[in-house]
Amino acid sequence: QAALLARLQAHRSERHAGRDWHHGRLAGRDVVLVLSGIGKVAAAITATLLLQRHGATALLFTGVAGGIGADVRVGDVVVGTGFLQHDLDASPIFPRWELPGRGVSRLAADAAWSRRLADAVRREHGEPHEGLIVSGDRFVSSAAESTRLQRDLPEALAVDMESAAVAQVCLDFGVPLAVVRAVSDRADDDAHVDFPRFLNEVAAPLAARIVESALSAP
């Protein structure tokens, strides 16, 4: 977040619900920057407050993820086109992964904003991966668990702890969502190695360039 805050103009901040909300202008647009918090519940609360209290008309979610797609490498960028909660299982009442009461398991990103992000990645970094991101309240850090996700969800490119929860909030509110994640690890036994260094030296400046480029596009 610090890399984006450094580019924020007319910056003012407030604190509520245990979060710092940063208002200002970025690439000529009015924005609110906030940390989602780690995990699905924290991210869902943040997304709901962005929509209800701060009047956001679209959500752009950036951060890091573990790569699980066969061709996804550390340092690559994934733009999510769909989202699923890999740890959601209300069976036998509902099928595995299905959102109770919604009749769906996979939630779609907003196509227009996702194209903006993908084009921004091409300008700032290179060709992105585009596809399914799966989320769960667990930091996937073993080869066994990563292999299990690959087996159960072969279309999944990356795993994180928040995106699918934010997608569910945006579905209920009818607000567009786009997600871009830098791949920090391969979600295996080495997933914790040099994570803070990657976050500060690679993911943060890359996210700032991508978001600013996407917001600047016509």
Side-chain angles (χ1 to χ4, degrees):
Q1 189 192 49
L4 282 163
L5 282 176
R7 299 168 183 241
L8 194 64
Q9 298 177 329
H11 180 196
R12 64 179 179 85
S13 62
E14 60 177 315
R15 184 169 179 82
H16 63 86
R19 294 157 172 78
D20 293 312
W21 308 81
H22 302 278
H23 301 255
R25 290 184 64 79
L26 187 65
R29 293 178 181 266
D30 293 325
V31 301
V32 181
L33 302 180
V34 61
L35 294 177
S36 68
I38 296 173
K40 293 189 296 181
V41 173
I45 292 170
T46 304
T48 301
L49 288 170
L50 274 169
L51 300 177
Q52 283 202 317
R53 178 166 176 148
H54 297 277
T57 57
L59 297 190
L60 301 186
F61 193 12
T62 184
V64 296
I68 56 175
D71 298 326
V72 179
R73 300 286 179 258
V74 173
D76 287 355
V77 175
V78 175
V79 174
T81 60
F83 312 98
L84 175 146
Q85 295 181 47
H86 69 79
D87 60 351
L88 177 60
D89 189 354
S91 60
I93 304 172
F94 300 95
R96 184 183 182 190
W97 304 315
E98 183 176 300
L99 299 175
R102 303 296 300 190
V104 295
S105 58
R106 300 189 183 198
L107 303 179
D110 180 76
W113 273 110
S114 296
R115 282 195 300 271
R116 278 176 170 267
L117 284 179
D119 288 343
V121 174
R122 293 184 184 100
R123 289 191 294 269
E124 301 297 330
H125 184 70
E127 192 65 26
H129 301 275
E130 299 180 70
L132 180 66
I133 295 176
V134 298
S135 307
D137 281 316
R138 178 176 176 82
F139 184 77
V140 178
S141 58
S142 73
E145 190 167 5
S146 179
T147 299
R148 185 163 57 251
L149 283 174
Q150 292 169 355
R151 181 196 66 212
D152 293 346
L153 296 161
E155 296 176 50
L157 297 178
V159 58
D160 68 14
M161 298 178 67
E162 299 87 19
S163 292
V166 175
Q168 186 173 347
V169 173
C170 289
L171 172 69
D172 286 350
F173 281 88
V175 171
L177 167 70
V179 176
V180 59
R181 296 284 201 172
V183 177
S184 59
D185 56 81
R186 280 290 302 171
D188 56 17
D189 300 302
D190 296 321
H192 64 286
V193 176
D194 280 342
F195 180 81
R197 183 179 178 184
F198 180 89
L199 191 66
N200 293 323
E201 296 183 9
V202 179
L206 178 60
R209 295 199 310 271
I210 291 170
V211 170
E212 190 169 49
S213 180
L215 292 177
S216 301

Short mmCIF file of all heavy atoms in Angstrom, two decimals, residues 8-57:
data_model
loop_
_atom_site.label_atom_id
_atom_site.label_comp_id
_atom_site.label_asym_id
_atom_site.label_seq_id
_atom_site.Cartn_x
_atom_site.Cartn_y
_atom_site.Cartn_z
N LEU A 8 -0.51 9.22 -4.13
CA LEU A 8 -1.84 9.77 -3.88
C LEU A 8 -1.76 11.29 -3.70
O LEU A 8 -0.96 11.79 -2.91
CB LEU A 8 -2.42 9.13 -2.62
CG LEU A 8 -3.91 9.31 -2.36
CD1 LEU A 8 -4.74 8.65 -3.46
CD2 LEU A 8 -4.28 8.73 -1.00
N GLN A 9 -2.61 12.01 -4.42
CA GLN A 9 -2.67 13.47 -4.32
C GLN A 9 -3.88 13.88 -3.49
O GLN A 9 -4.86 13.16 -3.38
CB GLN A 9 -2.77 14.08 -5.72
CG GLN A 9 -1.56 13.77 -6.59
CD GLN A 9 -1.72 14.33 -8.00
OE1 GLN A 9 -2.82 14.43 -8.52
NE2 GLN A 9 -0.60 14.70 -8.61
N ALA A 10 -3.77 15.08 -2.88
CA ALA A 10 -4.84 15.60 -2.02
C ALA A 10 -5.22 14.58 -0.96
O ALA A 10 -6.40 14.34 -0.68
CB ALA A 10 -6.06 15.99 -2.86
N HIS A 11 -4.20 14.03 -0.34
CA HIS A 11 -4.37 12.91 0.58
C HIS A 11 -4.96 13.36 1.92
O HIS A 11 -4.49 14.30 2.53
CB HIS A 11 -3.01 12.25 0.82
CG HIS A 11 -3.03 11.08 1.75
ND1 HIS A 11 -1.90 10.58 2.33
CD2 HIS A 11 -4.05 10.31 2.22
CE1 HIS A 11 -2.20 9.56 3.11
NE2 HIS A 11 -3.50 9.37 3.05
N ARG A 12 -6.00 12.68 2.33
CA ARG A 12 -6.52 12.82 3.70
C ARG A 12 -6.90 11.43 4.18
O ARG A 12 -7.26 10.56 3.39
CB ARG A 12 -7.72 13.76 3.76
CG ARG A 12 -8.94 13.29 3.00
CD ARG A 12 -10.10 14.26 3.12
NE ARG A 12 -11.26 13.81 2.37
CZ ARG A 12 -12.18 12.96 2.83
NH1 ARG A 12 -12.06 12.47 4.07
NH2 ARG A 12 -13.20 12.60 2.08
N SER A 13 -6.80 11.23 5.47
CA SER A 13 -7.07 9.89 5.99
C SER A 13 -7.99 9.95 7.20
O SER A 13 -8.12 10.99 7.86
CB SER A 13 -5.77 9.18 6.36
OG SER A 13 -5.09 9.88 7.38
N GLU A 14 -8.65 8.86 7.46
CA GLU A 14 -9.49 8.71 8.64
C GLU A 14 -9.37 7.27 9.12
O GLU A 14 -8.95 6.39 8.36
CB GLU A 14 -10.95 9.03 8.32
CG GLU A 14 -11.56 8.15 7.24
CD GLU A 14 -13.03 8.46 7.01
OE1 GLU A 14 -13.76 8.59 8.01
OE2 GLU A 14 -13.44 8.53 5.84
N ARG A 15 -9.72 7.05 10.36
CA ARG A 15 -9.64 5.69 10.90
C ARG A 15 -10.98 5.29 11.48
O ARG A 15 -11.57 6.01 12.27
CB ARG A 15 -8.54 5.60 11.97
CG ARG A 15 -8.34 4.18 12.50
CD ARG A 15 -7.09 4.04 13.35
NE ARG A 15 -6.93 2.68 13.85
CZ ARG A 15 -6.41 1.68 13.16
NH1 ARG A 15 -5.97 1.89 11.94
NH2 ARG A 15 -6.31 0.47 13.68
N HIS A 16 -11.46 4.15 11.05
CA HIS A 16 -12.64 3.56 11.68
C HIS A 16 -12.65 2.07 11.39
O HIS A 16 -11.99 1.60 10.45
CB HIS A 16 -13.94 4.23 11.20
CG HIS A 16 -14.23 4.07 9.75
ND1 HIS A 16 -14.87 2.97 9.20
CD2 HIS A 16 -13.98 4.89 8.69
CE1 HIS A 16 -15.00 3.12 7.91
NE2 HIS A 16 -14.47 4.27 7.56
N ALA A 17 -13.35 1.32 12.21
CA ALA A 17 -13.44 -0.14 12.09
C ALA A 17 -12.05 -0.79 12.09
O ALA A 17 -11.83 -1.81 11.43
CB ALA A 17 -14.22 -0.54 10.85
N GLY A 18 -11.11 -0.16 12.81
CA GLY A 18 -9.77 -0.72 12.91
C GLY A 18 -8.95 -0.61 11.65
O GLY A 18 -7.93 -1.29 11.51
N ARG A 19 -9.36 0.25 10.72
CA ARG A 19 -8.67 0.38 9.45
C ARG A 19 -8.38 1.85 9.17
O ARG A 19 -9.14 2.73 9.57
CB ARG A 19 -9.53 -0.18 8.31
CG ARG A 19 -9.76 -1.69 8.38
CD ARG A 19 -11.01 -2.05 7.62
NE ARG A 19 -11.20 -3.49 7.48
CZ ARG A 19 -11.66 -4.29 8.43
NH1 ARG A 19 -11.99 -3.78 9.63
NH2 ARG A 19 -11.82 -5.59 8.22
N ASP A 20 -7.30 2.10 8.43
CA ASP A 20 -6.97 3.45 7.97
C ASP A 20 -7.45 3.58 6.52
O ASP A 20 -7.05 2.80 5.65
CB ASP A 20 -5.46 3.70 8.05
CG ASP A 20 -4.97 3.73 9.48
OD1 ASP A 20 -5.60 4.43 10.29
OD2 ASP A 20 -3.96 3.06 9.77
N TRP A 21 -8.30 4.59 6.29
CA TRP A 21 -8.89 4.83 4.97
C TRP A 21 -8.26 6.08 4.39
O TRP A 21 -8.35 7.16 4.98
CB TRP A 21 -10.40 4.98 5.10
CG TRP A 21 -11.04 3.85 5.86
CD1 TRP A 21 -11.09 3.70 7.21
CD2 TRP A 21 -11.68 2.70 5.31
NE1 TRP A 21 -11.73 2.53 7.53
CE2 TRP A 21 -12.10 1.89 6.39
CE3 TRP A 21 -11.94 2.27 4.00
CZ2 TRP A 21 -12.77 0.68 6.20
CZ3 TRP A 21 -12.60 1.07 3.81
CH2 TRP A 21 -13.02 0.29 4.90
N HIS A 22 -7.62 5.94 3.25
CA HIS A 22 -6.87 7.03 2.64
C HIS A 22 -7.62 7.53 1.41
O HIS A 22 -7.75 6.81 0.42
CB HIS A 22 -5.47 6.55 2.26
CG HIS A 22 -4.69 6.02 3.42
ND1 HIS A 22 -4.02 6.85 4.30
CD2 HIS A 22 -4.49 4.74 3.85
CE1 HIS A 22 -3.42 6.10 5.22
NE2 HIS A 22 -3.70 4.83 4.97
N HIS A 23 -8.11 8.77 1.49
CA HIS A 23 -8.84 9.39 0.39
C HIS A 23 -7.90 10.30 -0.40
O HIS A 23 -6.98 10.90 0.16
CB HIS A 23 -9.99 10.25 0.94
CG HIS A 23 -10.97 9.50 1.76
ND1 HIS A 23 -12.22 9.14 1.30
CD2 HIS A 23 -10.90 9.03 3.04
CE1 HIS A 23 -12.87 8.50 2.24
NE2 HIS A 23 -12.09 8.41 3.31
N GLY A 24 -8.15 10.41 -1.69
CA GLY A 24 -7.34 11.31 -2.52
C GLY A 24 -7.61 11.08 -3.98
O GLY A 24 -8.62 10.50 -4.37
N ARG A 25 -6.67 11.54 -4.80
CA ARG A 25 -6.78 11.37 -6.25
C ARG A 25 -5.56 10.62 -6.76
O ARG A 25 -4.43 10.91 -6.37
CB ARG A 25 -6.94 12.72 -6.95
CG ARG A 25 -8.29 13.37 -6.66
CD ARG A 25 -8.48 14.67 -7.43
NE ARG A 25 -8.51 14.49 -8.88
CZ ARG A 25 -9.58 14.05 -9.55
NH1 ARG A 25 -10.70 13.74 -8.91
NH2 ARG A 25 -9.54 13.93 -10.87
N LEU A 26 -5.83 9.68 -7.64
CA LEU A 26 -4.79 8.86 -8.23
C LEU A 26 -5.07 8.77 -9.73
O LEU A 26 -6.17 8.34 -10.12
CB LEU A 26 -4.76 7.47 -7.61
CG LEU A 26 -3.63 6.53 -8.00
CD1 LEU A 26 -2.29 7.07 -7.52
CD2 LEU A 26 -3.86 5.13 -7.41
N ALA A 27 -4.12 9.20 -10.53
CA ALA A 27 -4.29 9.19 -11.99
C ALA A 27 -5.56 9.91 -12.41
O ALA A 27 -6.26 9.48 -13.32
CB ALA A 27 -4.29 7.76 -12.52
N GLY A 28 -5.87 10.99 -11.70
CA GLY A 28 -7.02 11.82 -12.06
C GLY A 28 -8.36 11.31 -11.59
O GLY A 28 -9.40 11.87 -11.97
N ARG A 29 -8.37 10.27 -10.77
CA ARG A 29 -9.63 9.71 -10.27
C ARG A 29 -9.70 9.83 -8.75
O ARG A 29 -8.68 9.72 -8.06
CB ARG A 29 -9.76 8.23 -10.65
CG ARG A 29 -9.91 7.97 -12.13
CD ARG A 29 -9.99 6.47 -12.40
NE ARG A 29 -10.11 6.16 -13.80
CZ ARG A 29 -11.26 5.96 -14.44
NH1 ARG A 29 -12.40 6.05 -13.77
NH2 ARG A 29 -11.28 5.66 -15.73
N ASP A 30 -10.90 10.01 -8.24
CA ASP A 30 -11.11 9.97 -6.79
C ASP A 30 -11.04 8.52 -6.33
O ASP A 30 -11.73 7.65 -6.87
CB ASP A 30 -12.48 10.56 -6.43
CG ASP A 30 -12.56 12.05 -6.71
OD1 ASP A 30 -11.53 12.74 -6.55
OD2 ASP A 30 -13.63 12.52 -7.11
N VAL A 31 -10.22 8.27 -5.32
CA VAL A 31 -10.03 6.91 -4.85
C VAL A 31 -10.01 6.86 -3.33
O VAL A 31 -9.80 7.88 -2.66
CB VAL A 31 -8.71 6.29 -5.39
CG1 VAL A 31 -8.69 6.26 -6.91
CG2 VAL A 31 -7.50 7.02 -4.85
N VAL A 32 -10.22 5.66 -2.81
CA VAL A 32 -10.00 5.36 -1.40
C VAL A 32 -9.07 4.15 -1.36
O VAL A 32 -9.36 3.11 -1.98
CB VAL A 32 -11.31 5.03 -0.66
CG1 VAL A 32 -11.02 4.74 0.81
CG2 VAL A 32 -12.30 6.16 -0.79
N LEU A 33 -7.95 4.27 -0.67
CA LEU A 33 -7.02 3.16 -0.50
C LEU A 33 -7.16 2.61 0.91
O LEU A 33 -7.19 3.37 1.88
CB LEU A 33 -5.58 3.62 -0.71
CG LEU A 33 -5.23 4.27 -2.05
CD1 LEU A 33 -3.75 4.65 -2.06
CD2 LEU A 33 -5.55 3.34 -3.20
N VAL A 34 -7.21 1.29 1.03
CA VAL A 34 -7.32 0.66 2.34
C VAL A 34 -6.76 -0.75 2.25
O VAL A 34 -6.85 -1.40 1.21
CB VAL A 34 -8.79 0.63 2.83
CG1 VAL A 34 -9.68 -0.18 1.88
CG2 VAL A 34 -8.90 0.12 4.26
N LEU A 35 -6.15 -1.20 3.32
CA LEU A 35 -5.71 -2.59 3.40
C LEU A 35 -6.91 -3.48 3.66
O LEU A 35 -7.73 -3.19 4.55
CB LEU A 35 -4.68 -2.76 4.52
CG LEU A 35 -3.35 -2.04 4.33
CD1 LEU A 35 -2.46 -2.25 5.57
CD2 LEU A 35 -2.63 -2.53 3.08
N SER A 36 -7.02 -4.57 2.93
CA SER A 36 -8.18 -5.46 3.09
C SER A 36 -8.17 -6.18 4.43
O SER A 36 -9.24 -6.51 4.96
CB SER A 36 -8.18 -6.51 1.97
OG SER A 36 -7.10 -7.41 2.13
N GLY A 37 -6.98 -6.41 4.97
CA GLY A 37 -6.87 -7.34 6.09
C GLY A 37 -6.67 -8.74 5.54
O GLY A 37 -6.99 -9.02 4.38
N ILE A 38 -6.14 -9.63 6.35
CA ILE A 38 -5.83 -10.98 5.90
C ILE A 38 -6.99 -11.92 6.20
O ILE A 38 -7.51 -11.94 7.32
CB ILE A 38 -4.54 -11.49 6.58
CG1 ILE A 38 -3.36 -10.62 6.14
CG2 ILE A 38 -4.27 -12.95 6.21
CD1 ILE A 38 -2.06 -10.93 6.88
N GLY A 39 -7.41 -12.68 5.22
CA GLY A 39 -8.48 -13.64 5.40
C GLY A 39 -9.79 -13.14 4.83
O GLY A 39 -10.00 -11.96 4.58
N LYS A 40 -10.71 -14.09 4.63
CA LYS A 40 -11.96 -13.80 3.94
C LYS A 40 -12.88 -12.88 4.75
O LYS A 40 -13.52 -12.00 4.17
CB LYS A 40 -12.68 -15.10 3.60
CG LYS A 40 -11.96 -15.94 2.56
CD LYS A 40 -12.80 -17.12 2.08
CE LYS A 40 -13.09 -18.10 3.19
NZ LYS A 40 -13.88 -19.24 2.73
N VAL A 41 -12.96 -13.07 6.05
CA VAL A 41 -13.86 -12.23 6.85
C VAL A 41 -13.39 -10.79 6.86
O VAL A 41 -14.17 -9.86 6.61
CB VAL A 41 -13.98 -12.78 8.28
CG1 VAL A 41 -14.78 -11.82 9.15
CG2 VAL A 41 -14.65 -14.15 8.28
N ALA A 42 -12.11 -10.58 7.11
CA ALA A 42 -11.57 -9.22 7.14
C ALA A 42 -11.77 -8.54 5.80
O ALA A 42 -12.16 -7.37 5.72
CB ALA A 42 -10.09 -9.25 7.51
N ALA A 43 -11.50 -9.26 4.71
CA ALA A 43 -11.63 -8.67 3.38
C ALA A 43 -13.09 -8.34 3.06
O ALA A 43 -13.38 -7.32 2.43
CB ALA A 43 -11.06 -9.62 2.33
N ALA A 44 -14.01 -9.19 3.47
CA ALA A 44 -15.43 -8.94 3.22
C ALA A 44 -15.91 -7.72 3.99
O ALA A 44 -16.70 -6.90 3.46
CB ALA A 44 -16.26 -10.16 3.59
N ILE A 45 -15.46 -7.56 5.22
CA ILE A 45 -15.82 -6.36 6.00
C ILE A 45 -15.30 -5.11 5.31
O ILE A 45 -16.02 -4.11 5.15
CB ILE A 45 -15.25 -6.46 7.43
CG1 ILE A 45 -15.97 -7.57 8.21
CG2 ILE A 45 -15.40 -5.13 8.17
CD1 ILE A 45 -15.30 -7.90 9.53
N THR A 46 -14.04 -5.15 4.89
CA THR A 46 -13.45 -3.99 4.22
C THR A 46 -14.20 -3.64 2.95
O THR A 46 -14.50 -2.47 2.69
CB THR A 46 -11.97 -4.26 3.90
OG1 THR A 46 -11.29 -4.62 5.11
CG2 THR A 46 -11.30 -3.04 3.29
N ALA A 47 -14.51 -4.65 2.14
CA ALA A 47 -15.22 -4.40 0.89
C ALA A 47 -16.60 -3.81 1.15
O ALA A 47 -17.02 -2.87 0.46
CB ALA A 47 -15.35 -5.71 0.10
N THR A 48 -17.30 -4.32 2.15
CA THR A 48 -18.63 -3.81 2.46
C THR A 48 -18.57 -2.36 2.90
O THR A 48 -19.39 -1.53 2.48
CB THR A 48 -19.28 -4.67 3.57
OG1 THR A 48 -19.37 -6.02 3.12
CG2 THR A 48 -20.68 -4.17 3.90
N LEU A 49 -17.58 -2.02 3.72
CA LEU A 49 -17.45 -0.63 4.16
C LEU A 49 -17.07 0.29 3.01
O LEU A 49 -17.54 1.44 2.94
CB LEU A 49 -16.40 -0.54 5.28
CG LEU A 49 -16.84 -1.12 6.63
CD1 LEU A 49 -15.66 -1.21 7.58
CD2 LEU A 49 -17.94 -0.27 7.25
N LEU A 50 -16.23 -0.18 2.11
CA LEU A 50 -15.89 0.63 0.93
C LEU A 50 -17.14 0.99 0.14
O LEU A 50 -17.29 2.11 -0.34
CB LEU A 50 -14.92 -0.13 0.03
CG LEU A 50 -13.43 -0.01 0.35
CD1 LEU A 50 -12.64 -1.03 -0.46
CD2 LEU A 50 -12.92 1.39 0.09
N LEU A 51 -18.05 0.04 0.03
CA LEU A 51 -19.25 0.27 -0.77
C LEU A 51 -20.30 1.08 -0.01
O LEU A 51 -20.88 2.02 -0.56
CB LEU A 51 -19.84 -1.08 -1.21
CG LEU A 51 -18.90 -1.95 -2.06
CD1 LEU A 51 -19.55 -3.29 -2.37
CD2 LEU A 51 -18.50 -1.25 -3.33
N GLN A 52 -20.55 0.71 1.24
CA GLN A 52 -21.64 1.34 1.97
C GLN A 52 -21.27 2.68 2.58
O GLN A 52 -22.05 3.63 2.54
CB GLN A 52 -22.13 0.40 3.08
CG GLN A 52 -23.00 -0.73 2.58
CD GLN A 52 -23.88 -1.29 3.68
OE1 GLN A 52 -23.43 -1.49 4.80
NE2 GLN A 52 -25.13 -1.56 3.37
N ARG A 53 -20.09 2.77 3.16
CA ARG A 53 -19.71 4.00 3.86
C ARG A 53 -18.96 4.98 2.96
O ARG A 53 -19.12 6.20 3.10
CB ARG A 53 -18.85 3.65 5.08
CG ARG A 53 -18.35 4.89 5.84
CD ARG A 53 -17.82 4.55 7.19
NE ARG A 53 -17.27 5.73 7.85
CZ ARG A 53 -17.29 5.94 9.16
NH1 ARG A 53 -17.86 5.05 9.95
NH2 ARG A 53 -16.75 7.02 9.68
N HIS A 54 -18.16 4.45 2.03
CA HIS A 54 -17.31 5.31 1.23
C HIS A 54 -17.79 5.48 -0.20
O HIS A 54 -17.18 6.23 -0.97
CB HIS A 54 -15.87 4.79 1.25
CG HIS A 54 -15.27 4.79 2.62
ND1 HIS A 54 -14.69 5.92 3.17
CD2 HIS A 54 -15.17 3.82 3.56
CE1 HIS A 54 -14.26 5.63 4.39
NE2 HIS A 54 -14.54 4.37 4.65
N GLY A 55 -18.85 4.80 -0.58
CA GLY A 55 -19.46 5.03 -1.88
C GLY A 55 -18.66 4.59 -3.08
O GLY A 55 -18.81 5.15 -4.17
N ALA A 56 -17.81 3.60 -2.92
CA ALA A 56 -17.01 3.12 -4.05
C ALA A 56 -17.92 2.58 -5.15
O ALA A 56 -18.89 1.87 -4.87
CB ALA A 56 -16.04 2.04 -3.59
N THR A 57 -17.61 2.90 -6.40
CA THR A 57 -18.39 2.42 -7.53
C THR A 57 -17.71 1.27 -8.27
O THR A 57 -18.29 0.69 -9.18
CB THR A 57 -18.66 3.57 -8.52
OG1 THR A 57 -17.40 4.13 -8.93
CG2 THR A 57 -19.50 4.66 -7.86
#
